[in-house]
Amino acid sequence: MANGGVTGQQFNTVSTSGKSYLMPIILITSLFFLWGFAYGLLDVLNKHFQDVLGVNKLKSTFLQIAYFGAYFIMPFPMAFLIKRFGYKGGVLMGLSLYVVGAILFYPSAHFAKFWAFVVSMFVIASGLATLETTANPYMTVLGPSKYSEVRLNLAQSFNGVGSFVGPIIASKIFFGGATDTTNTDLSSVQYTYLIIAGVVFCVGVLVFFTNFPEINEAEQQHLGTEAAHRPLFRHPYFVYGVITQFFYIGGQVGIASLFINYATENAQGIDSSTASLYLSYALILFTIGRFVSTAIMRFVRPNQVLAAYGFISTVLCAYISAGSGMPSVIVLIVVFFFESIMFPTIFALAVKDLGVHHKRGGSIIVQTIAGGAVFPPIMGAIGDAVSIRVAYVIPMISFFVVFLYGVWGYKAGYISERRLSATTPPSATTPPSATTPPSATTPPSATTPPSATTPPLATTPPSAAET
């Protein structure tokens, strides 16, 4: 099921027969690393600003609000611009916002104003949201449809690399140990983001001079397929995918946000520094999980891998909620491996064969990243009122929803697609050809009666089979 379309028509107009698309694939994959790197810097900046600017923990979370807020606001309007200017135009818009936001960090650090950093982060995140709105769906159609999940998971693997490389570089090289309260110099922030701006600008130049194959949606309108004519939200597997992605993102962000709290409160001898080190191990395992699981998907259907990982993660979170001590911390680290492929796999399954709705559908799924701003506060409230262990019931529920999508929701969506296809008449925009009359020598099939709206020709005698 995961390797086939609804109607047999694949939404894929990009040839992969030559080497001319190698450079676009490489450049698109590099974008995943760039926004993973930016996200990896976020938590380091959060702690650094607490120490240098004297903001409290609540105020410092405005960086996260700006980051995830951009993901909620930007994808939908950007989807219309991408539809107007194409995938390449969307990439260039995203990189431009990334560069502008990174440059804004220089005056923000010069005047040492926290609100200025929040604005700068929002601009950067707007660029990242634009890149995700563009790159995720584009990677799913840049090649054969049956390998769309594999391609996206492979590209997302480099996002994981950026996520754990970013904090290492920031804390060890650029920031000179940002978690050290004696470090009160913001010049490191200035030069870090100037370097980032320069690197992103160079990538933008390469994108500008590279030929990107474009999906011709005008042609898709006239394919005559149900995917090309049915409204977006009448694709059940897409609707289920949007719901599932929202739950998954909320659970993933909640697990990472409260990881240090869980480790320090439930295992003796673990301080914040040690817990941070364990979190870095978890992120490395997350990255390994993406590479390993991408290889597995070459032999096992992606929705089956998703269902298995969702079930395992549900069980592991149940143990985390009930257990304590170092074993529960180890189990928490292991969860990162199994959640690694969930976002790209849900994304690819949900946008498969959407036809002309591909770009808009991708933008809506990117908006579900806003779930990362909803679930962590709920977990935090439960942690304050009851215990941090009980709070991990929330991601357990999230992973169970993922399991249901992999084992039932995705399949049920496609079954509904077939039923809609069987009951929906052909589009009025694709009438039968007037130049090809029915053959007088070919009698109607015995198993397929003529349509009630099209009486048989009077000059055509009934066949022997009909009598």
Side-chain angles (χ1 to χ4, degrees):
M1 187 66 64
N3 292 334
V6 178
T7 61
Q9 173 64 49
Q10 305 292 353
F11 180 61
N12 175 33
T13 61
V14 180
S15 171
T16 56
S17 59
K19 298 181 179 179
S20 58
Y21 302 125
L22 177 62
M23 193 62 180
I25 291 175
I26 292 174
L27 288 174
I28 291 295
T29 302
S30 73
L31 302 180
F32 288 83
F33 176 87
L34 289 175
W35 76 64
F37 185 83
Y39 178 74
L41 293 178
L42 185 60
D43 291 333
V44 179
L45 283 174
N46 188 301
K47 184 63 172 66
H48 190 54
F49 291 152
Q50 290 178 34
D51 298 333
V52 177
L53 300 177
V55 298
N56 57 32
K57 293 179 181 178
L58 177 61
K59 189 174 181 180
S60 70
T61 60
F62 276 81
L63 287 174
Q64 275 77 9
I65 294 174
Y67 187 92
F68 289 107
Y71 273 87
F72 180 74
I73 295 171
M74 297 304 296
F76 193 66
M78 285 301 174
F80 288 98
L81 293 176
I82 293 168
K83 187 174 183 178
R84 172 66 177 83
F85 297 104
Y87 285 109
K88 182 176 180 178
V91 171
L92 291 174
M93 283 187 285
L95 292 175
S96 298
L97 287 170
Y98 196 162
V99 171
V100 171
I103 292 175
L104 287 176
F105 264 74
Y106 191 92
S108 300
H110 177 75
F111 294 105
K113 299 295 183 180
F114 180 71
W115 65 265
F117 284 114
V118 173
V119 172
S120 302
M121 181 58 68
F122 179 82
V123 176
I124 287 180
S126 297
L128 301 181
T130 303
L131 291 177
E132 290 220 42
T133 303
T134 307
N136 279 304
Y138 189 46
M139 187 59 74
T140 65
V141 296
L142 199 59
S145 177
K146 66 178 181 178
Y147 296 124
S148 61
E149 299 89 352
V150 176
R151 284 194 305 277
L152 187 55
N153 270 283
L154 181 60
Q156 284 278 0
S157 298
F158 291 91
N159 172 266
V161 173
S163 295
F164 77 79
V165 168
I168 293 174
I169 293 177
S171 62
K172 301 298 182 181
I173 300 177
F174 294 125
F175 290 105
T179 57
D180 182 1
T181 57
T182 62
N183 179 16
T184 60
D185 186 10
L186 286 174
S187 63
S188 56
V189 176
Q190 292 177 307
Y191 296 119
T192 297
Y193 277 86
L194 282 181
I195 293 173
I196 292 174
V199 172
V200 174
F201 178 80
C202 290
V203 174
V205 171
L206 290 175
V207 170
F208 183 81
F209 288 104
T210 300
N211 179 37
F212 273 57
E214 190 61 47
I215 304 302
N216 190 336
E217 293 196 339
E219 292 180 1
Q220 297 294 320
Q221 290 279 10
H222 304 289
L223 287 176
T225 66
E226 293 304 319
H229 298 286
R230 190 180 306 129
L232 176 60
F233 285 97
R234 291 192 66 191
H235 295 266
Y237 65 94
F238 168 75
V239 176
Y240 298 155
V242 169
I243 297 170
T244 302
Q245 196 73 286
F246 181 83
F247 272 85
Y248 164 68
I249 292 294
Q252 180 204 13
V253 176
I255 283 177
S257 298
L258 297 176
F259 181 97
I260 295 177
N261 296 84
Y262 183 91
T264 55
E265 295 177 21
N266 287 276
Q268 294 182 350
I270 297 181
D271 56 16
S272 296
S273 177
T274 304
S276 298
L277 182 62
Y278 289 157
L279 179 58
S280 68
Y281 294 158
L283 292 173
I284 293 173
L285 194 61
F286 180 91
T287 304
I288 294 173
R290 278 191 168 163
F291 282 106
V292 172
S293 303
T294 298
I296 292 175
M297 286 184 187
R298 297 285 295 183
F299 308 99
V300 183
R301 289 186 175 184
N303 67 297
Q304 294 174 344
V305 177
L306 181 69
Y309 280 21
F311 179 78
I312 293 171
S313 298
T314 301
V315 173
L316 294 179
C317 282
Y319 179 86
I320 292 167
S321 297
S324 62
M326 193 61 196
S328 63
V329 175
I330 293 175
V331 171
L332 180 56
I333 294 173
V334 173
V335 169
F336 281 72
F337 177 91
F338 292 103
E339 71 176 20
S340 60
I341 54 92
M342 292 183 182
F343 176 85
T345 305
I346 296 168
F347 191 105
L349 291 174
V351 301
K352 183 186 286 290
D353 301 319
L354 285 184
V356 295
H357 306 302
H358 198 80
K359 293 175 182 176
R360 185 183 171 210
S363 70
I364 291 174
I365 295 180
V366 170
Q367 283 186 296
T368 64
I369 292 177
V374 176
F375 283 56
I378 297 175
M379 292 180 65
I382 295 174
D384 289 336
V386 187
S387 73
I388 194 67
R389 288 190 300 167
V390 176
Y392 273 78
V393 171
I394 299 300
M396 181 184 73
I397 296 172
S398 299
F399 291 132
F400 186 70
V401 173
V402 172
F403 164 71
L404 290 179
Y405 184 66
V407 77
W408 170 81
Y410 176 66
K411 181 186 296 186
Y414 264 121
I415 291 174
S416 299
E417 287 277 303
R418 291 196 186 95
R419 290 173 179 170
L420 287 171
S421 298
T423 59
T424 304
S427 172
T429 61
T430 313
S433 174
T435 61
T436 310
S439 173
T441 61
T442 305
S445 171
T447 60
T448 307
S451 172
T453 60
T454 309
L457 294 175
T459 58
T460 305
S463 69
E466 292 177 319
T467 60

